[in-house]
Amino acid sequence: MPDPVLTLVDTSLTLKGNAGPVDILRGIDLSVTRGETLGLTGPSGSGKSSLLMLMGGLERATGGQVTVLDHELGAMNEDQLARFRRDHMGVVFQSFHLIPTMTALENVATPLELAGARDAFDRAATELQAVGLGDRMDHYPAQMSGGEQQRVALARAAAPRPQILLADEPTGNLDGTTGQAIMDLLFGLRDRHGATLVLVTHAPELAERCDRVVHLTDGVLA
């Protein structure tokens, strides 16, 4: 069996609420192997996005262990986690999170520049062309449709050639036709770069394209 690139052992997440502690995730045991595509499904509020955030070090586990590429995330400080994500992960959010004052090209080039890539803009242009936005590079987010903005977000996540790509409801804000196009692009990026892909989705057609699907209910893997 291939070595796992991402492992959670008895992982839990408890957050403080107005009425006291709230258990978001409980006793999660999960491994993802290199090159695998894993779908995370479950009803709203089941903890899917929180689990993805733990995998990316964007949220800290309050119990258990999260290990990514042989690094225990709980042992890193915030700066170390940020550098680790920069060097090894791409994250795609439902709400795009583009920088409104930057063009599509600048948005995609930014993480490459932060990583010290001398050819940041050339690589950014190549990724934008790969997602069908070669003629929109100089446009700002407000000048683009939701589907185009999500393509920019995909290109930005893929440009650094991450070993792991995390996607949180990447088609959730898009109509059916545009969502299908984003699905095709997402799996195309995985195939082109050989990344391990973990995605949260409510869309059955997207889950069906994954190598494996796990279901969350009330913070527990079903």
Side-chain angles (χ1 to χ4, degrees), residues 1 16-17 46 50 74 85 109 131 133 152 159 162 166 178 180 186 201 220:
M1 181 178 176
K16 294 179 180 178
S46 59
S50 295
R85 277 192 300 273
V131 299
L133 291 178
V152 176
L166 306 175
T178 305
Q180 184 65 49
L186 191 60
T201 185
V220 177

Side-chain angles (χ1 to χ4, degrees), residues 1-210:
M1 181 178 176
D3 292 333
V5 296
L6 195 157
T7 305
L8 294 93
V9 178
D10 195 24
T11 303
S12 60
L13 176 64
T14 301
L15 300 179
K16 294 179 180 178
N18 292 333
V22 179
D23 292 328
I24 308 297
L25 296 167
R26 294 173 287 142
I28 302 293
D29 291 309
L30 182 65
S31 288
V32 186
T33 57
R34 190 176 307 277
E36 183 178 17
T37 303
L38 178 72
L40 301 177
T41 65
S44 295
S46 59
K48 303 184 301 298
S49 293
S50 295
L51 180 54
L52 197 77
M53 295 302 102
L54 288 184
M55 293 176 176
L58 293 161
E59 188 76 67
R60 284 189 180 274
T62 50
Q65 194 174 69
V66 181
T67 304
V68 181
L69 298 169
D70 297 323
H71 290 75
E72 185 184 343
L73 299 191
M76 298 186 194
N77 62 33
E78 293 302 321
D79 287 344
Q80 290 169 329
L81 284 169
R83 286 193 294 270
F84 185 76
R85 277 192 300 273
R86 180 196 70 190
D87 295 339
H88 302 290
M89 294 183 176
V91 185
V92 182
F93 298 98
Q94 182 178 352
S95 51
F96 318 139
H97 289 299
L98 301 178
I99 300 169
T101 56
M102 288 187 175
T103 64
L105 184 65
E106 290 167 339
N107 265 284
V108 177
T110 293
L112 294 168
E113 287 188 301
L114 291 173
R118 294 183 179 180
D119 58 346
F121 281 87
D122 289 339
R123 285 171 60 181
T126 298
E127 289 299 333
L128 285 168
Q129 288 165 352
V131 299
L133 291 178
D135 60 344
R136 305 285 273 168
M137 293 187 195
D138 295 329
H139 288 69
Y140 292 90
Q143 298 173 309
M144 294 183 282
S145 68
E148 288 171 332
Q149 290 183 59
Q150 188 61 295
R151 291 188 196 193
V152 176
L154 282 175
R156 181 181 59 188
R161 305 290 191 270
Q163 291 161 274
I164 298 171
L165 192 57
L166 306 175
D168 189 10
E169 291 282 5
T171 62
N173 281 336
L174 308 172
D175 63 67
T177 301
T178 305
Q180 184 65 49
I182 293 298
M183 283 186 224
D184 292 341
L185 286 170
L186 191 60
F187 281 85
L189 291 172
R190 176 208 62 180
D191 295 339
R192 196 150 51 90
H193 299 318
T196 300
L197 172 62
V198 181
L199 58 92
V200 168
T201 185
H202 279 107
E205 63 272 22
L206 185 50
E208 287 170 4
R209 295 179 65 168
C210 297

